[in-house]
């Protein structure tokens, strides 16, 4: 992911019809989702469709794959293929980034890809992850983007009555030194 992308279309990986429809909207990149947009019952099928979709879409624009952090190994095994520009994954800590980096390095070596070819876009969607954003961003040279999931951050921060915003803002929901 060497280039800056102004718009990325996020589509469920098990729905090639939606991917093709979405391409007509003119995004600068595509992110094939294996996480929230795919019901767990369809995840195996979504992984099976990745090679064909990566092969065709990567000819015209960068392709990311959004993986499920709780099933990272299986998702990465399916996603680390020719044509992938990077992965998008929700992360909570620098340790999680180190783990992803290790899995990616192993898969790149197994598949003959250059080390570091697959970038990581770290999705920050909890107050704790936001607290560690600097450490997450510098945990690996692969991290080339931080994606702030504003809706998730707001929901997690404001979901209890005592955390309602006042003039000074919401009460932090993470350890503050």
């Amino acid at each position: 992911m060497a280039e800056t992308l102004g718009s990325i279309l996020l589509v469920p990986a098990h729905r090639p019809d939606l991917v093709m429809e979405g391409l007509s909207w003119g995004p600068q990149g595509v992110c094939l989702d294996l996480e929230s947009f795919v019901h767990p019952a369809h995840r195996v099928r979504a992984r099976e469709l990745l090679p064909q979709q990566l092969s065709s879409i990567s000819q015209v624009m960068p392709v990311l794959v959004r993986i499920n952090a709780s099933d990272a190994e299986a998702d990465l095994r399916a996603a680390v293929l020719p044509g992938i520009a990077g992965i998008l994954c929700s992360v909570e800590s620098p340790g999680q980034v180190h783990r992803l980096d290790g899995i990616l390095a192993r898969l790149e070596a197994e598949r003959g890809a250059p080390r570091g070819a697959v970038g990581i876009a770290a999705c920050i969607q909890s107050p704790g992850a936001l607290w560690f954003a600097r450490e997450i961003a510098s945990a690996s040279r692969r991290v080339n983007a931080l994606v702030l999931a504003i809706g998730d951050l707001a929901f997690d921060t404001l979901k209890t009555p005592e955390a309602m915003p006042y003039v000074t803002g919401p009460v932090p929901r993470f350890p503050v030194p």
Side-chain angles (χ1 to χ4, degrees), residues 9 26-28 33 50 61 78 80 86 91 106 112 126 136 141 175-177:
L9 175 68
Q28 294 174 329
D33 191 14
L50 283 178
M61 67 184 58
V80 177
V91 296
R106 189 178 74 246
S126 74
I136 287 168
R141 297 183 120 199
V176 178

Side-chain angles (χ1 to χ4, degrees), residues 122-136:
C123 186
I124 307 295
Q125 60 184 51
S126 74
L130 183 58
W131 183 257
F132 291 110
R134 178 180 294 211
E135 291 85 358
I136 287 168

Side-chain angles (χ1 to χ4, degrees), residues 21-174:
E21 178 185 335
L23 290 177
S24 68
W25 302 343
Q28 294 174 329
V30 171
C31 184
L32 300 171
D33 191 14
L34 294 174
E35 191 192 35
S36 301
F37 287 6
V38 180
H39 187 277
H42 299 292
R43 290 214 173 110
V44 170
R45 179 70 178 138
R47 289 182 194 125
E48 291 170 352
L49 290 170
L50 283 178
Q52 175 189 355
Q53 293 191 74
L54 278 167
S55 163
S56 62
I57 302 167
S58 67
Q59 302 300 317
V60 291
M61 67 184 58
V63 181
L64 302 168
V65 177
R66 182 179 181 196
I67 66 164
N68 195 328
S70 62
D71 209 6
E73 181 88 31
D75 284 354
L76 288 172
R77 189 161 293 287
V80 177
L81 299 166
I84 186 172
I87 62 157
L88 172 65
C89 185
S90 298
V91 296
E92 292 293 319
S93 69
Q96 227 178 334
V97 174
H98 291 299
R99 180 175 175 264
L100 291 171
D101 188 0
I103 296 168
L104 287 168
R106 189 178 74 246
L107 290 171
E108 288 168 343
E110 286 174 10
R111 297 169 184 192
R115 182 171 171 81
V118 180
I120 297 173
C123 186
I124 307 295
Q125 60 184 51
S126 74
L130 183 58
W131 183 257
F132 291 110
R134 178 180 294 211
E135 291 85 358
I136 287 168
S138 60
S140 167
R141 297 183 120 199
R142 291 178 189 274
V143 178
N144 49 28
L146 291 181
V147 178
L148 294 178
I150 299 299
D152 292 320
L153 278 166
F155 178 78
D156 283 353
T157 305
L158 305 175
K159 66 182 168 186
T160 58
E162 72 272 10
M164 294 305 290
Y166 297 99
V167 176
T168 59
V171 176
R173 309 302 280 162
F174 45 86

